[in-house]
Amino acid sequence: MRRIHMLALMVVISTGSTPAQDRLVKDGSGMNKFHSFNTIHFLNGSSTTSLALNSVNGIQFGNFFCGIGTGFDYYYHVSLPLFIETRMNLVKRKGALQFFVNGGLNFPFATRNKKLENRTGKYKTGTCYAAGLDYVFPVKNEGFILGLAFSNKQTIQKVDNNIWNPVLNRIENIPFEDKYSLNRIAIRAGWMF
């Protein structure tokens, strides 16, 4: 139940609008504008093929953008990334070719290891990062996003390790950490407003 409340809070924070943001959007100068980049990622790596959903919300400063993002990452182990993303316009004609980079924390969402079910134990927060290129095709004041990226997420599991202790004549749990560093190629599509 606690995870559902955390998820709802992250969605509200990432998609909410404040009066200050409304003033930025309505500002005709074009210098500082609020933008929301909402994308679906088709992830392919050595472990599996899967999906991820992200929403990044922030402010555009001329050719630069900075925002906070969150979403769902279904690759290998379901997790909730929370990250900071920066973007820079490389080429701007009708559309805009943008380079982006992001990094942050990867919170575990699922409680079982679906790939190795005999490994039980709690998951810990890991890291995540990505870098890539997006092309934004303008549609009035919004835009369609198509891009390619490299991303990595780290998943850490404290695996239960029950072993026999002959001195105490009992079984003891001496857990060890399993760290998964998952590299993926992402084909991205989405909408920017």
Side-chain angles (χ1 to χ4, degrees):
M1 193 65 158
R2 185 174 147 209
R3 291 177 189 223
I4 292 173
H5 291 327
M6 183 175 71
L7 171 65
L9 178 64
M10 288 192 328
V11 169
V12 168
I13 289 171
S14 68
T15 60
S17 177
T18 65
Q21 291 170 341
D22 292 340
R23 282 194 299 274
L24 288 173
V25 172
K26 292 176 184 173
D27 180 15
S29 67
M31 288 303 292
N32 299 333
K33 286 189 176 182
F34 172 80
H35 286 296
S36 181
F37 291 84
N38 302 288
T39 53
I40 183 168
H41 306 224
F42 302 97
L43 303 169
N44 189 22
S46 62
S47 298
T48 186
T49 301
S50 190
L51 293 175
L53 304 168
N54 280 354
S55 178
V56 179
N57 299 282
I59 298 177
Q60 182 89 27
F61 301 97
N63 284 330
F64 296 97
F65 169 86
C66 187
I68 296 175
T70 188
F72 274 108
D73 191 326
Y74 295 98
Y75 188 85
Y76 192 79
H77 183 79
V78 180
S79 61
L80 301 168
L82 181 63
F83 54 90
I84 294 174
E85 181 168 295
T86 58
R87 293 175 167 268
M88 181 177 77
N89 289 339
L90 298 177
V91 177
K92 191 165 184 176
R93 294 189 179 140
K94 279 192 171 184
L97 179 64
Q98 298 180 334
F99 171 74
F100 72 90
V101 62
N102 64 42
L105 298 174
N106 186 47
F107 297 95
F109 189 72
T111 56
R112 338 187 333 246
N113 190 333
K114 292 180 183 176
K115 300 291 182 185
L116 302 168
E117 292 187 14
N118 62 335
R119 295 203 174 173
T120 59
K122 293 187 176 183
Y123 282 89
K124 293 171 49 177
T125 302
T127 59
C128 62
Y129 61 87
L133 294 171
D134 281 344
Y135 193 84
V136 181
F137 298 92
V139 179
K140 296 186 181 177
N141 291 333
E142 300 176 358
F144 173 72
I145 303 166
L146 194 58
L148 185 66
F150 169 82
S151 68
N152 174 283
K153 85 171 182 178
Q154 186 183 68
T155 301
I156 303 168
Q157 183 181 18
K158 252 190 132 143
V159 179
D160 293 332
N161 184 25
N162 297 316
I163 59 171
W164 177 256
N165 185 337
V167 174
L168 299 174
N169 196 22
R170 68 177 182 197
I171 295 176
E172 292 184 339
N173 182 19
I174 302 173
F176 64 91
E177 282 191 355
D178 245 353
K179 292 184 181 180
Y180 304 98
S181 184
L182 306 166
N183 296 324
R184 304 86 56 89
I185 298 295
I187 298 173
R188 302 160 42 93
W191 194 256
M192 184 271 298
F193 61 88

